[in-house]
């Protein structure tokens, strides 16, 4: 267990999409503000440290609702491309988190600034993900509802880890976070930076350097790992809806993982313990982060952020 003095002074914290838009809310403005305030209170102990802090967040529930909203009104209002929908969700979520975290800091007499950067992330135009949509976005539906919506809107729908059916979209791997130097400059001057929201706005770049948006939603945990690796940050904290990663989840012989080596978690992953629609992307990100030079990836519950960082809870994946 680490003391406060041992807590890393450079950190990337990745917040799940359900931490900014839980499944059990309708999504009103007041609900979203309330959820952002709860998230800010959970992150406050980290925000009050003298550290370099980058925060990323998911957007799956929100971007899915944006896309559904415009599909249902397309006879009157032309729909936006998916990359613009991602940008809309990134801006809205970033605004709410930025304001909530600054407000929480001000209530403690802390004048630290928070900045939310609209972030483009380059992907490979030939990434096989474009031919195999796997990223779940939007609300849950019954199988009958999903089939009707899929037929009506020409959407790919898939069952999500036994929780219901959802819309799936392409999720290419991040290659380059555009303007990562700006993130670096801001965190070094003490600003808390919210970047790579929703995995970043997906773009491709041609030989001249011209960028164009593409229809996809990048996994935010993979983008978080990439940001940490590029900035040379050695610890990645992935916050989700469970306190620890488990093997044999949902079975009588379920076992929570405390500290686990990179090779051990890769072996568990190969055995199929981490479904693509739930824990799989987080474990993928932890593996990619450590293979890219990171020292420790921690997966835990949002409410346990500081406790996990101190080693009191969470799954710690180490070299």
């Amino acid at each position: 267990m680490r003391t406060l003095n041992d807590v890393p002074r450079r950190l990337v914290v990745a917040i799940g999409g359900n931490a900014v838009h839980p499944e059990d809310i309708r999504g009103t403005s007041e609900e979203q503000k309330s959820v952002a305030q709860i998230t800010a209170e959970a992150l406050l102990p980290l925000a009050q440290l003298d550290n370099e802090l980058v925060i990323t967040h998911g957007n799956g529930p929100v971007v899915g609702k944006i896309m559904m909203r415009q599909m249902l009104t397309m006879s009157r209002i032309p729909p936006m491309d998916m990359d613009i929908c991602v940008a809309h969700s990134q801006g809205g979520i970033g605004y709410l988190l930025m304001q909530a975290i600054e407000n929480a800091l001000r209530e403690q007499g802390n004048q630290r600034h928070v900045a939310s950067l609209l972030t483009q992330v380059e992907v490979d135009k030939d990434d096989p993900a474009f031919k195999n949509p796997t990223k779940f976005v939007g609300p849950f539906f019954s199988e009958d509802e999903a089939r009707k919506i899929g037929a009506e809107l020409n959407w790919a729908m898939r069952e999500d880890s036994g929780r219901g059916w959802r819309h799936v979209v392409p999720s290419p791997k991040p290659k380059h976070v555009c303007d990562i130097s700006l993130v670096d400059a801001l965190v070094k001057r003490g600003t808390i930076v919210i970047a790579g929201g929703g995995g970043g706005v997906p773009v491709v770049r041609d030989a001249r350097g011209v960028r164009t948006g593409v229809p996809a939603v990048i996994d935010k945990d993979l983008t978080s790992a990439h940001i940490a690796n590029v900035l040379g940050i050695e610890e990645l904290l992935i916050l989700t809806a469970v306190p620890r990663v488990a093997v044999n989840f949902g079975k009588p012989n379920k076992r929570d993982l405390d500290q686990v080596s990179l090779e051990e978690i890769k072996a568990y992953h190969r055995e199929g313990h981490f479904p693509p629609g739930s824990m799989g992307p987080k474990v993928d990100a932890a593996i990619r982060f450590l293979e890219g030079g990171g020292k420790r990836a921690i997966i835990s519950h949002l409410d346990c952020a500081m406790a996990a960082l101190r080693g009191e809870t969470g799954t710690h994946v180490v070299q």
Side-chain angles (χ1 to χ4, degrees):
M1 188 179 300
R2 299 191 286 196
T3 67
L4 192 57
N5 290 332
D6 297 324
V7 169
R9 289 296 183 260
R10 305 182 73 225
L11 184 67
V12 173
V13 179
I15 307 168
N18 285 327
V20 293
H21 196 293
E23 301 166 11
D24 58 352
I25 67 171
R26 292 175 56 233
T28 66
S29 296
E30 289 307 313
E31 284 176 320
Q32 292 182 67
K33 290 177 182 177
S34 177
V35 170
Q37 182 178 349
I38 292 170
T39 300
E41 293 295 336
L43 296 178
L44 183 60
L46 301 181
Q48 289 186 288
L49 296 176
D50 178 19
N51 60 7
E52 294 181 16
L53 181 59
V54 179
I55 297 173
T56 65
H57 62 81
N59 72 338
V62 176
V63 73
K65 286 188 174 182
I66 290 173
M67 293 169 63
M68 173 161 283
R69 186 182 301 124
Q70 64 178 13
M71 288 298 100
L72 296 176
T73 60
M74 64 187 301
S75 62
R76 297 194 175 193
I77 304 172
M80 303 177 293
D81 291 341
M82 194 183 302
D83 58 307
I84 301 177
C85 293
V86 172
H88 273 235
S89 68
Q90 189 182 113
I93 295 169
Y95 157 68
L96 291 172
L97 286 176
M98 177 176 63
Q99 185 179 82
I101 294 170
E102 278 202 341
N103 286 345
L105 286 166
R106 299 299 177 269
E107 288 178 355
Q108 299 299 318
N110 190 317
Q111 297 302 308
R112 191 175 190 184
H113 289 290
V114 184
S116 179
L117 298 182
L118 188 65
T119 313
Q120 299 178 84
V121 174
E122 290 179 12
V123 301
D124 189 334
K125 64 180 178 60
D126 296 319
D127 192 303
F130 287 109
K131 296 181 180 179
N132 180 33
T134 59
K135 177 69 174 175
F136 291 102
V137 298
F140 290 86
F141 301 97
S142 68
E143 183 174 356
D144 287 343
E145 289 173 328
R147 295 192 185 284
K148 290 177 182 177
I149 290 169
E152 179 183 356
L153 303 180
N154 194 29
W155 282 359
M157 307 292 286
R158 193 172 296 171
E159 200 264 341
D160 183 358
S161 301
R163 298 180 295 176
W165 287 66
R166 299 175 75 187
H167 182 194
V168 287
V169 300
S171 186
K173 299 290 190 296
K175 287 179 54 182
H176 170 64
V177 176
C178 306
D179 301 320
I180 188 68
S181 59
L182 296 181
V183 177
D184 192 32
L186 282 171
V187 296
K188 284 181 176 175
R189 62 179 291 177
T191 303
I192 296 171
V193 178
I194 301 171
V201 182
V203 298
V204 295
R205 184 172 60 170
D206 66 17
R208 298 170 298 161
V210 175
R211 295 185 179 118
T212 307
V214 290
V217 175
I218 306 168
D219 183 80
K220 72 97 178 41
D221 293 313
L222 291 182
T223 296
S224 304
H226 184 83
I227 289 174
N229 286 150
V230 171
L231 296 182
I233 294 175
E234 295 183 343
E235 300 212 15
L236 170 65
L237 177 59
I238 300 174
L239 299 175
T240 182
V242 294
R244 290 183 178 87
V245 179
V247 292
N248 300 313
F249 184 79
K251 300 177 182 178
N253 59 340
K254 172 195 167 188
R255 179 168 60 88
D256 290 337
L257 301 177
D258 295 319
Q259 182 158 301
V260 59
S261 74
L262 174 60
E263 291 308 314
E264 286 173 326
I265 201 137
K266 287 170 71 173
Y268 288 135
H269 205 1
R270 287 193 296 268
E271 293 170 6
H273 287 282
F274 313 121
S278 55
M279 193 55 69
K282 295 164 183 58
V283 172
D284 285 335
I287 292 170
R288 183 162 175 165
F289 170 64
L290 266 68
E291 290 183 336
K295 297 294 178 62
R296 180 183 298 263
I298 308 168
I299 303 174
S300 192
H301 196 285
L302 173 67
D303 296 340
C304 305
M306 180 58 84
L309 205 56
R310 294 178 63 174
E312 298 166 10
T313 187
T315 295
H316 295 242
V317 187
V318 297
Q319 289 283 7

